[in-house]
Amino acid sequence: MKSDWILDVLADLKTFAHANGLPALAEQLDDTAIVAMSEIAAMKDTQHGQRHDGEAAVGIYIGGAGAS
């Protein structure tokens, strides 16, 4: 997918941070990459008919609070 390029950019930034004595930034970039992967996966799920929470993006949802 065309959004995956951001993961390469974050990896390059992490490499730069390590090489230049910026360990806190490198660690933060790891966390940022996890967020990016999660959001990219959610976008892919949505494009394939799934919402982020796993429910179908189309159709009828019967349930929720108070449902038995």
Side-chain angles (χ1 to χ4, degrees):
M1 173 177 256
K2 62 183 178 180
S3 299
D4 292 340
W5 65 268
I6 193 69
L7 299 175
D8 293 332
V9 171
L10 292 170
D12 289 344
L13 290 170
K14 180 183 168 189
T15 299
F16 175 86
H18 273 300
N20 290 282
L22 303 167
L25 178 58
E27 186 174 328
Q28 184 64 47
L29 288 163
D30 274 336
D31 295 343
T32 303
I34 291 169
V35 171
M37 287 185 276
S38 175
E39 291 190 336
I40 289 168
M43 284 185 350
K44 288 178 182 179
D45 287 347
T46 300
Q47 291 171 351
H48 291 104
Q50 295 292 317
R51 290 192 331 220
H52 185 59
D53 61 2
E55 295 291 333
V58 293
I60 299 172
Y61 174 73
I62 301 174
S68 49

